[in-house]
Structures are given as structure tokens and as C-alpha cells.
Amino acid sequence: MISIILDKVLGGIHLKVDVELPNSGVTVFFGPSGSGKTSVINLLSGMMRPDKGFIRIHDRVLFDSEKRISVPPYERRMGYIFQESRLFPHLTVTSNLRYGYREGGQIVFDEVVELLGVGHLLKRRPHHLSGGEKQRVAIGRALLTNPDLLLMDEPLSALDELRKEEIIPFIKRIRDEFYTPIVYVTHSTHEVERLANNVVVMKNGVVTAFGPVGEILPTLKTATMKEAV
């Protein structure tokens, strides 16, 4: 299991999270803007430090405030996919994909290129790619680090609806074909429905619900419909 206990004061929000996530599939952190979703994955990645807490991925303790353990970000073995692709503009797609590539893991270069359908793009530079193509390359680059955990911070939010529908099948294939667990941040019930195995619902920095998507999704849809009225 992935054990996450986080306690962090962020401005006017007191973030408190205590959940255990499965070792596979997609766990979506869902909630409105300002609920603390992105802060959770920044704390997991080491980009931010909890005031108190405990993080264990599989059998590795990454943070333990009581024992004063804090593994630096570059040693946490996490892949991070941002809202924007953040590709290196001066590098080709091949070089971007190979940046940080860790060989010897379950995920290999040719397999990722085939899965994401970017073989015809390998010699191009980012300014010659569409938004959807850039995000596919960004996903591939994160995967090829062979991470213990893949973090995705609203990876579709900068794309139009057509590009979103282009990317979702690739994320589903990653979920279904690799053993790498994914923590996915979104405020979209559509993305929850299409991608999630489990859902952590957040509001004002605290977890208000957690469970399998089949149990949580009907409540989310009902709440969304009430807000729209």
C-alpha cells in the first residue's frame, strides 16, 4: 500500500490528509480549486515539505517527521506531469523522452513510443507539436524515468475538448498495461468517470470521502448537478 499522512498549514487552509492508496491503478484527488489537491502531490514529490506527516511508497519511507526522514525530490523516484508539458524547447522529442530515462525497469523506450503513438514525432522539436502531442511526450518522459509513483496534476486542463479526448485513451492504457500507480488531480467528474479506480474527495484541505470510483462517483455527479441548478 501507499501510506500518506500529511499535515500542512497553507495560508488560510490547514491541509490534513490520511489515506492508504493501492499499489496500482489511478487514484484521483478530486475537488474544487483551492481544496489542496495540487499541494498533496507537491508534498508527495518533495517540492513542498509537510509540517508533520509520513509518506511510504511500497516499502520505502520517503518522509517521517517523527524520525526526521526526508528523502530529497530527486531520490523519490516519482514522475511528475504538469498542466503544461514543460518540454525542453531546444531538444527533439527523442531527447526529451530520454531525459531522465532509467533503464532496467519495467518501462522501456520503444514500448512507450508505441503506446503513446509518437514514433513519427521523434525528430521534431516541441514548437512543431500540437498541444496534445506535447502532452503525450511529457507523459512519456515521466513514464521513462520508471517511477514508483506517477503524479499527474490536471494534465488535461490546458487542452481543448478534442485534445482531451485524444489523451484520455493513452492514460487509460498506461493505467491498464503498467503496474505503476498513478495519483491524478482533477476537478472534472468526466475525467473521474473515465480514468479513476479510486477517488479521494477534498474540500478546504481535508478529505471528505475516499473509496472506489463506483461508490464515490454517484455522489460527485449529484453534487455537480445541484451546483449547476
Side-chain angles (χ1 to χ4, degrees):
M1 299 293 287
I2 298 170
S3 299
I4 301 172
I5 302 172
L6 302 172
D7 194 310
K8 176 77 173 177
V9 176
L10 297 162
I13 292 181
H14 188 177
L15 183 71
K16 294 179 73 71
V17 175
D18 187 345
V19 292
E20 284 203 341
L21 310 183
N23 287 330
S24 62
V26 176
T27 298
V28 169
F29 277 74
F30 176 90
S33 297
S35 61
K37 308 183 303 296
T38 295
S39 295
V40 168
I41 61 174
N42 285 339
L43 290 162
L44 291 176
S45 71
M47 292 171 62
M48 292 170 55
R49 183 187 177 98
D51 297 330
K52 294 185 295 184
F54 178 83
I55 302 169
R56 185 181 66 229
I57 310 296
H58 309 314
D59 60 347
R60 296 180 68 228
V61 175
L62 303 183
F63 184 85
D64 187 331
S65 54
E66 291 187 358
K67 295 183 178 179
R68 298 186 178 181
I69 296 171
S70 184
V71 176
Y74 60 87
E75 292 182 0
R76 294 199 178 194
R77 300 208 295 258
M78 294 191 186
Y80 199 134
I81 300 161
F82 299 89
Q83 295 180 24
E84 304 85 22
S85 61
R86 302 195 184 188
L87 300 179
F88 298 111
H90 62 292
L91 298 180
T92 63
V93 167
T94 294
S95 297
N96 269 285
L97 288 171
R98 289 193 176 277
Y99 187 86
Y101 177 32
R102 242 181 40 220
E103 298 191 42
Q106 63 154 326
I107 301 171
V108 297
F109 185 85
D110 290 344
E111 187 176 9
V112 167
V113 168
E114 186 279 327
L115 182 144
L116 294 174
V118 295
H120 63 295
L121 305 175
L122 294 178
K123 294 182 180 180
R124 297 186 191 178
R125 285 184 167 78
H127 65 277
H128 289 302
L129 305 178
S130 70
E133 289 169 343
K134 288 178 183 177
Q135 201 63 338
R136 275 190 277 160
V137 174
I139 291 169
R141 181 176 63 183
L143 271 176
L144 285 166
T145 64
N146 271 283
D148 289 341
L149 182 64
L150 189 60
L151 307 173
M152 306 185 81
D153 182 18
E154 302 201 51
L156 307 184
S157 63
L159 304 177
D160 59 34
E161 291 304 315
L162 183 62
R163 299 305 175 200
K164 288 179 182 179
E165 290 303 313
E166 171 190 324
I167 296 294
I168 283 175
F170 295 109
I171 298 175
K172 289 175 71 174
R173 285 192 65 188
I174 292 166
R175 176 197 68 189
D176 297 339
E177 296 183 24
F178 294 127
Y179 296 108
T180 305
I182 300 170
V183 170
Y184 186 104
V185 166
T186 188
H187 59 267
S188 164
T189 55
H190 176 67
E191 291 172 34
V192 172
E193 186 172 18
R194 295 286 300 277
L195 296 170
N197 299 106
N198 296 280
V199 186
V200 179
V201 182
M202 296 192 65
K203 186 175 182 180
N204 297 325
V206 299
V207 175
T208 59
F210 171 49
V213 65
E215 296 178 7
I216 303 297
L217 185 60
T219 304
L220 297 185
K221 286 185 172 181
T222 300
T224 302
M225 289 175 64
K226 287 181 178 178
E227 291 173 3
V229 173

